[in-house]
Amino acid sequence: MTLMTERPTIGGTGPRNFEALLSDLDDLVVPVGYKAEIIKGNIVLSPWSKGYHHRVMELVCRQLTPALPDGHTIGSAPFLYVFPQDERAYGPDVHAAPRQLYETVSDRLDGEALSFVAELTSASTRDDDLTDKVEVYGRAGVPVYLILDMQEERATVLWTPSAKGYESRCTQPFGEKLYIPEPFDCLLDTSGFQAPRSSGGA
């Protein structure tokens, strides 16, 4: 088992190795202050969210809830979504999917069932949010991927998923309104997404 706290080196794994990594992840005692994902053949640890990220995730959930597709739910509780074809397992910061998806005793959820994901970048995993996850979420057919770049204080929405990731994107600085496409078809007001200025930033 390989543990990484920074962006992992690129390395392929076979299906059996991916299953072994998932088993390792089940048994892993994650150090206090970290969460774990499987990225590029490695178990990657990333730090817990900063305090003000709670406000940002709450604002995203509150604004998107009225626009959810029928039978879907949105939340920010930690769940692991698995993408076997890409040998990845992610725990997005905000996620929406059909309620029925959660009627299981398994802790491995189908990533292809997601209707929306949002990632709040951290310094150690920012590159994966901007590259690897764009490709994987797009290939899995996740309709909308929202990247909240907490270091640059800008929001990027990606849609029109394809085999290469996403074909459409739009970026706005925090403080502006950003259109969230179908199946949501609503505006996301990013006012209030900025870090408290007295706390030293993101």
Side-chain angles (χ1 to χ4, degrees):
M1 175 175 58
T2 305
L3 292 180
M4 306 283 292
T5 55
E6 296 296 330
R7 183 173 180 269
T9 56
I10 296 175
T13 62
R16 289 184 63 190
N17 288 334
F18 179 61
E19 285 298 321
L21 282 172
L22 285 171
S23 295
D24 288 340
L25 199 60
D26 287 339
D27 298 334
L28 182 65
V29 178
V30 179
V32 174
Y34 287 87
K35 67 176 183 179
E37 299 176 300
I38 297 175
I39 304 175
K40 298 178 183 174
N42 297 292
I43 293 178
V44 178
L45 303 182
S46 56
W48 280 350
S49 299
K50 298 182 183 299
Y52 81 97
H53 290 188
H54 179 273
R55 163 174 34 95
V56 176
M57 290 186 281
E58 186 178 51
L59 286 170
V60 171
C61 291
R62 184 186 305 163
Q63 293 185 67
L64 264 59
T65 293
L68 282 169
D70 289 344
H72 286 229
T73 183
I74 189 169
S76 57
F79 286 98
L80 187 70
Y81 295 92
V82 178
F83 303 85
Q85 290 187 341
D86 282 290
E87 300 176 2
R88 304 292 199 273
Y90 299 149
D93 293 308
V94 181
H95 40 89
R99 291 182 182 276
Q100 188 61 35
L101 178 67
Y102 305 101
E103 294 301 317
T104 177
V105 296
S106 175
D107 59 2
R108 303 175 187 177
L109 303 178
D110 179 9
E112 293 186 357
L114 288 160
S115 56
F116 171 88
V117 289
E119 299 283 8
L120 281 65
T121 65
S122 66
S124 63
T125 60
R126 181 173 178 268
D127 187 61
D128 292 316
D129 294 334
L130 297 175
T131 58
D132 192 70
K133 292 183 180 181
V134 170
E135 296 177 5
V136 174
Y137 286 142
R139 281 195 293 265
V142 179
V144 180
Y145 175 28
L146 176 66
I147 303 172
L148 299 178
D149 191 329
M150 310 310 286
Q151 289 68 49
E152 298 294 331
E153 296 201 336
R154 61 189 179 195
T156 297
V157 62
L158 300 100
W159 69 101
T160 317
S162 72
K164 296 182 179 180
Y166 289 91
E167 297 180 6
S168 307
R169 68 170 58 205
C170 179
T171 300
Q172 292 280 12
F174 286 177
E176 299 295 326
K177 291 183 179 179
L178 186 67
Y179 175 66
I180 305 299
E182 296 286 351
F184 295 86
D185 188 26
C186 68
L187 285 177
L188 178 70
D189 187 351
T190 64
S191 299
F193 284 19
Q194 296 90 342
R197 295 308 175 191
S198 60
S199 68

